[in-house]
Amino acid sequence: MKIKWLILAAGEGKRMKSSLPKVFHKVGGTPILLRILQISESLNIETGVVLGKNFEYGEKALKGVKTKIFKQSARLGTAHAVMIAKEFYTIPDDYTLISPGDTPLLTEKDIKRFIDFSLERNADTSILTFRTSNPEGYGRVFENNGAFAKIVEEKDAGEEEKKNNLVNSGIYLFKNMVLLKHLNEVNNNNAQKEYYLTDLPSILKKHGYTIAVFKAGNEENFFGVNDRIQLSLCDNIAIKRNIEKAMENGVTIYQPHTVRIEDNVEIGSDTIIHPHVVIERNCIIGKGNIIKTGAIISNSEIGDNCVIHEYSHIDGAKILSNCKIGPFARLRPQTVIHDQAKVGNFVETKKATLHRGVKASHLTYLGDCEIGENTNIGAGTITCNYDGEKKHRTEIGANCFIGSDTQLVAPVKIGDFSYIGAGSTITQDVPECSLALSRVKQKIIAGWPEKKGKKCSK
Ligand code: UD1
Ligand code: MG
């Protein structure tokens, strides 16, 4: 016996008012559908996804994800979406788990418990339900003496029915045989003129099949995203979970309600995060770091014991240990900062490797370059890496001193232990252990203002 998982993700998502398919909107920094697919992957369940609106976008976004894609061209309802995927459930004794694609807070534990519950009861169909303080928008689930009775959609429910707070999560486990034999009995005689999958359990009940109702405890986990308000609600919960996980792992977070930590972020113990810090997806941050207010870090790695000062933007960079970054530093992709280096205020780096102990303390652009150990980069240094057509590299050796306001016109190399005089424009390689100066010699013309008729005293 095998279980496969079919995710219905073709809906119009009209309430989102978006050109992007609903299931690709992000919660915790991850597209909603990918959050669900991560669960199926860790449970090792084969999946299929029904896509519809902006199919091409969806197909592209799922490139590299192991799943089967079905196309529902006309979105005629959730039961119709399941019909479209009929190749997915051909073996009568196997099972198909069906879920909506718009429930981003689902957990592995919920799915595992639901499957175990259904299999223990040997049910032909099981429905995952939960009680909620705000049932609006959900299908209401009715029971009769503890046995399943029917599901009534919000738009078809009367005032009394709407008061029922036991609702349908949209997650079911069907024995394939019931889908194969009875799905075509669902009609579209309802307020939305749609083929509702929610009608199938009642049809099956009439045929005498066993229907089990699973009541899940934590309603949050099944929240669906149908509009932007629900999107932000789910995002808040996802971020809160990430923040709590970091705290449980020994991270101090001041005023956590102002901090955003997205999915797939690891943070080591004794790191301190100040208010208004944003750590986006895919970051690994070590122990004992201090991340100050307003820092934004994405797709980056930081070692141990670094200080990331206020308002620094770090994207696609790798920072080793004991470094000082910012305030107001901008580290762009492919920046590598080795141990004990310092990147100060208003310094921008891109495709730059700064070896151990390098200091670039102020107002500098370092792009397409490599800088050797312990070199000091003066304020206002610029690697002129772009000639209007191509990018070129600058290589600066170890233990160099680059005077302030130097322009290094790439491609250019500076040897170890060399000095560049402040205000130089360097267009040729500088050998090691030398001084390069390219500025114009200073002239003094005494009394010049007076000759021009200007005053030199009060
Ligand atoms: C659905 C359920 C409702 C349940 C709720 C849980 C139905 C009729 N109603 O309502 O009982 O409480 O989910 O969140 O099933 N989809 C398709 N093709 C379609 C229509 C929808 O693939 O033709 C997909 C959507 O992309 C979505 C899912 O099915 O991921 C559910 O559709 P949605 O429109 O969100 O239904 P709800 O109104 O939320
Ligand atoms: Mg929905």
Side-chain angles (χ1 to χ4, degrees):
M1 185 278 298
K2 191 171 166 186
I3 298 174
K4 293 206 273 182
W5 185 345
L6 184 66
I7 303 167
L8 309 184
E12 286 287 333
K14 279 192 199 119
R15 290 163 277 182
M16 294 295 283
K17 304 204 168 91
S18 174
S19 57
L20 185 72
K22 175 169 75 176
V23 296
F24 292 103
H25 282 262
K26 290 177 181 172
V27 164
T30 312
I32 297 171
L33 181 59
L34 292 189
R35 281 185 141 246
I36 300 174
L37 287 165
Q38 275 163 12
I39 299 174
S40 59
E41 198 189 318
S42 48
L43 288 172
N44 207 5
I45 304 180
E46 209 179 308
T47 56
V49 178
V50 185
L51 296 175
K53 177 176 173 162
N54 206 341
F55 180 80
E56 291 68 30
Y57 179 94
E59 215 180 20
K60 243 197 203 153
L62 290 179
K63 226 177 184 162
V65 178
K66 217 177 126 217
T67 191
K68 203 162 166 33
I69 298 176
F70 299 94
K71 183 174 183 177
Q72 186 190 18
S73 302
R75 267 81 70 194
L76 305 180
T78 40
H80 180 252
V82 178
M83 286 171 203
I84 293 287
K86 58 178 181 293
E87 287 164 44
F88 196 67
Y89 45 84
T90 49
I91 301 168
D93 287 335
D94 283 355
Y95 288 83
T96 303
L97 179 80
I98 295 183
S99 82
D102 63 355
T103 48
L105 301 175
L106 215 58
T107 69
E108 201 177 309
K109 220 162 137 192
D110 297 318
I111 295 298
K112 230 181 142 299
R113 282 181 54 208
F114 175 56
I115 292 174
D116 290 347
F117 167 92
S118 317
L119 297 182
E120 273 162 26
R121 279 158 187 77
N122 195 23
D124 298 305
T125 292
S126 302
I127 305 165
L128 199 161
T129 69
F130 60 96
R131 288 206 186 275
T132 173
S133 47
N134 181 15
E136 200 185 324
Y138 292 101
R140 311 299 201 276
V141 179
F142 293 87
E143 289 178 299
N144 205 344
N145 294 326
F148 171 80
K150 60 177 178 177
I151 302 175
V152 182
E153 285 305 290
E154 166 92 17
K155 288 197 174 126
D156 301 289
E159 281 316 304
E160 266 315 297
E161 286 175 321
K162 278 187 184 162
K163 286 182 192 155
N164 180 3
N165 68 358
L166 184 68
V167 297
N168 173 24
S169 68
I171 303 169
Y172 323 82
L173 187 70
F174 289 104
K175 202 171 239 176
N176 287 350
M177 190 246 303
V178 302
L179 294 175
L180 292 166
K181 271 176 100 172
H182 303 287
L183 190 59
N184 59 4
E185 292 170 37
V186 174
N187 64 40
N188 65 352
N189 296 334
N190 52 55
Q192 302 194 80
K193 295 276 164 283
E194 280 186 9
Y195 296 88
Y196 291 163
L197 187 58
T198 46
D199 286 348
L200 184 59
S202 316
I203 294 170
L204 297 176
K205 188 181 151 73
K206 278 183 207 139
H207 287 291
Y209 290 103
T210 50
I211 319 261
V213 176
F214 178 76
K215 290 174 184 140
N218 188 358
E219 62 169 293
E220 258 180 21
N221 297 11
F222 309 99
F223 282 168
V225 171
N226 298 302
D227 58 34
R228 306 272 180 163
I229 294 167
Q230 290 170 332
L231 182 74
S232 80
L233 188 78
C234 288
D235 183 68
N236 280 342
I237 295 168
I239 297 302
K240 191 165 164 269
R241 286 180 184 174
N242 290 343
I243 284 178
E244 284 170 1
K245 190 184 95 191
M247 287 172 164
E248 280 162 13
N249 291 339
V251 178
T252 294
I253 303 180
Y254 293 119
Q255 294 184 274
H257 57 286
T258 68
V259 169
R260 178 171 180 87
I261 299 178
E262 292 191 343
D263 301 337
N264 212 11
V265 169
E266 282 172 35
I267 310 176
S269 65
D270 290 326
T271 283
I272 299 175
I273 297 178
H274 286 246
H276 299 286
V277 164
V278 175
I279 304 176
E280 293 178 349
R281 250 181 89 77
N282 298 336
C283 287
I284 302 177
I285 297 173
K287 296 180 182 170
N289 295 292
I290 301 175
I291 303 177
K292 298 259 189 105
T293 293
I296 303 175
I297 305 170
S298 60
N299 221 0
S300 292
E301 270 181 52
I302 298 177
D304 299 332
N305 303 315
C306 293
V307 183
I308 310 296
H309 286 283
E310 291 82 349
Y311 304 103
S312 294
H313 187 201
I314 298 170
D315 177 20
K318 184 169 177 175
I319 300 168
L320 279 76
S321 293
N322 301 301
C323 295
K324 291 191 167 57
I325 308 294
F328 299 101
R330 181 173 182 211
L331 273 50
R332 292 168 56 202
Q334 296 180 47
T335 291
V336 181
I337 310 287
H338 286 261
D339 294 340
Q340 289 172 26
K342 182 181 173 199
V343 176
N345 40 258
F346 306 106
V347 174
E348 175 180 345
T349 63
K350 189 218 72 182
K351 283 195 184 160
T353 299
L354 276 58
H355 286 281
R356 188 187 179 87
V358 167
K359 288 189 177 65
S361 299
H362 344 257
L363 299 157
T364 286
Y365 173 62
L366 299 171
D368 298 287
C369 63
E370 177 150 8
I371 303 171
E373 284 188 15
N374 298 322
T375 283
N376 190 87
I377 306 286
T381 297
I382 293 174
T383 53
C384 310
N385 58 334
Y386 186 48
D387 61 10
E389 283 178 19
K390 279 195 194 131
K391 297 282 172 69
H392 301 281
R393 282 181 65 75
T394 300
E395 286 175 30
I396 303 175
N399 301 295
C400 291
F401 180 91
I402 310 297
S404 295
D405 195 23
T406 293
Q407 299 113 58
L408 298 149
V409 182
V412 72
K413 286 184 190 172
I414 315 292
D416 295 347
F417 296 101
S418 280
Y419 288 69
I420 308 290
S424 294
T425 301
I426 301 298
T427 54
Q428 287 165 28
D429 290 356
V430 176
E432 62 174 48
C433 211
S434 33
L435 168 69
L437 270 175
S438 78
R439 62 189 178 225
V440 178
K441 219 171 179 179
Q442 183 170 315
K443 256 200 267 185
I444 307 272
I445 305 172
W448 184 89
E450 281 175 326
K451 279 184 208 155
K452 292 279 172 194
K454 301 193 194 290
K455 280 209 287 186
C456 282
S457 63
K458 285 189 187 165

